[in-house]
Amino acid sequence: MTDAAALPGQPRGGVLSGPATARAVNVLAPNASAMTLDGTNTWILSEPGSARAVVIDPGPLDEGHLRNVVDTAERAGKRVALTLLTHGHPDHSEGAARFAELTGTKVRALDPELRLGGEGLSGGDVVTVDGLELRVVPAPGHTADSLAFHLPADGAVLTGDTVLGRGTTVVAHPDGRLGDYLDTLRRLRSLTVDDGVHTVLPGHGPVLEDAQGAVEYYLAHRAHRLAQVETAVENGHRGPSDVVAHVYADVDRSLWPAAELSVRAQLEYLREHGIIEEPRGL
């Protein structure tokens, strides 16, 4: 069995639901799949001893899960005061409207279509609730509307789908763009180098104890995949599906449709930078 400390980011073992840091508690949604790993992580954040909490990513529209999030906060003596979204994919946001009904909270997001009763979010914003401070970090790439949330008091960053607790994520072309994603990873690396971030609280999978190691692995992985795609094109594999079959031959075929989204983003990146010619027939 592989030692978790030897894996990228040093994923934390044990039960995924429950306290993760002094200010963060995870409630795991029952929507496990190849794409969502163990399920969506719904994060409850609050300052120790405070009466109010912030929830990030209520998750899917699952009544039992949404009520479990409310109950978990209330058992800790907290009232949910605000709901935030990392991005608009349904496994993170579909339950937000119902959760807002259950809690009477506003929903804040980058995408105006996801906001309910409140203002939006953008990079550089600071969200405060009863002493809890969250700094909003722009994180486009996986999707155009992706955000991360820096929790300075715990040396943690909540990454949504930008960095996962296990494996790597999809750059969801055409909404997601590889150049933006690489810039986001570098921005997260700066948090680990300059701002004391050591823990990743991801949207799926276990907590990562080595944030810098995780981000460095993601950057290296993307560079490796990009080189593989470039080589595949040079060898005559022109279409995205053909490139996927060549480059991702060792990956479960059920993940190939998602891999094709990333390949399309990689091809666009290579084309924009003049590394390959315009693919034909796409």
Side-chain angles (χ1 to χ4, degrees):
M1 186 173 182
T2 303
D3 182 1
L7 296 174
Q10 297 181 17
R12 184 182 298 175
V15 178
L16 294 178
S17 282
T21 68
R23 292 165 180 80
V25 174
N26 181 33
V27 181
L28 182 65
N31 62 333
S33 72
M35 292 299 295
T36 61
L37 304 181
D38 310 275
T40 300
N41 294 333
T42 294
W43 292 101
I44 303 173
L45 307 178
S46 62
E47 196 66 17
S50 69
R52 298 191 299 165
V54 175
V55 165
I56 295 181
D57 290 351
L61 184 54
D62 181 291
E63 188 75 10
H65 171 65
L66 300 177
R67 290 188 178 275
N68 188 26
V69 175
V70 175
D71 291 345
T72 299
E74 289 181 348
R75 283 195 298 270
K78 313 286 184 180
R79 177 177 66 83
V80 178
L82 182 63
T83 302
L84 307 177
L85 297 177
T86 60
H87 65 297
H89 279 169
D91 56 313
H92 294 259
S93 67
E94 186 183 41
R98 175 58 179 152
F99 189 72
E101 291 178 356
L102 291 172
T103 58
T105 60
K106 297 177 180 179
V107 177
R108 297 183 64 183
L110 178 60
D111 185 346
E113 293 188 4
L114 298 172
R115 302 171 192 167
L116 292 171
E119 58 189 314
L121 287 172
S122 59
D125 288 349
V126 178
V127 177
T128 58
V129 173
D130 283 5
L132 179 78
E133 179 184 295
L134 286 171
R135 300 175 184 173
V136 182
V137 181
H142 170 68
T143 62
D145 71 328
S146 287
L147 298 171
F149 296 96
H150 177 199
L151 180 56
D154 284 349
V157 61
L158 295 98
T159 54
D161 282 355
T162 298
V163 175
L164 304 178
R166 184 170 67 250
T168 55
T169 197
V170 174
V171 178
H173 177 85
D175 184 39
R177 296 176 59 84
L178 182 58
D180 291 341
Y181 186 65
L182 294 174
D183 287 343
T184 288
L185 290 178
R186 296 184 189 107
R187 191 174 299 116
L188 293 177
R189 181 173 59 186
S190 293
L191 289 180
T192 72
V193 173
D194 301 325
D195 294 284
V197 168
H198 50 74
T199 301
V200 172
L201 305 177
H204 304 280
V207 172
L208 299 177
E209 307 280 9
D210 177 16
Q212 184 173 351
V215 175
E216 294 285 3
Y217 172 78
Y218 265 58
L219 283 164
H221 173 79
R222 285 296 166 192
H224 177 64
R225 284 298 194 203
L226 198 59
Q228 287 181 308
V229 170
E230 181 183 353
T231 299
V233 171
E234 291 173 350
N235 291 335
H237 302 279
R238 303 295 293 179
S241 59
D242 190 21
V243 172
V244 168
H246 180 73
V247 172
Y248 291 81
D250 60 339
V251 174
D252 189 320
R253 285 187 175 230
S254 68
L255 298 176
W256 280 16
E260 184 170 326
L261 295 178
S262 284
V263 164
R264 288 181 180 274
Q266 290 161 336
L267 290 171
E268 181 180 3
Y269 179 88
L270 292 170
R271 187 167 63 252
E272 288 176 346
H273 287 76
I275 298 171
I276 63 172
E277 296 179 356
E278 181 79 23
R280 296 180 182 178
L282 299 184

